[in-house]
Amino acid sequence: ELIDIIDAIKHVRSHRAEQVKNTIKVGSNVQFISAKLGHAVTGTVEKVAVKYVSIRTDAGQLWRVPLGLVEII
């Protein structure tokens, strides 16, 4: 029963990541919530990989973020 719940959550997360990957392109403006900083970080996509996306922030920092955490703005 618990394993079924865990599998359902994993399925939803992977489906959401797949949707983001299909809509996100290099040059897209995106945002994500940083656990380190505790607030939203915005930037531009530089690279889309299988599970991660590289984002250059407005401050010039480069972040490697899981696809499931990224939102297009």
Side-chain angles (χ1 to χ4, degrees):
E1 188 174 299
L2 182 60
I3 292 176
D4 293 336
I5 294 170
I6 292 170
D7 288 341
I9 291 170
K10 286 181 182 179
H11 177 72
V12 168
R13 286 182 180 169
S14 67
H15 182 66
R16 184 178 186 284
E18 191 68 30
Q19 285 179 326
V20 170
K21 184 177 180 182
N22 289 337
T23 58
I24 201 167
K25 307 273 188 269
V26 173
S28 298
N29 290 324
V30 295
Q31 75 175 8
F32 63 96
I33 305 297
S34 169
K36 284 183 182 179
L37 303 176
H39 60 81
V41 177
T42 60
T44 306
V45 174
E46 287 197 347
K47 178 181 177 183
V48 179
V50 175
K51 293 184 178 181
Y52 293 89
V53 60
S54 296
I55 301 170
R56 178 75 60 184
T57 65
D58 301 331
Q61 297 174 320
L62 185 64
W63 289 72
R64 186 172 172 257
V65 181
L67 280 167
L69 298 180
V70 177
E71 295 178 8
I72 298 174
I73 53 172

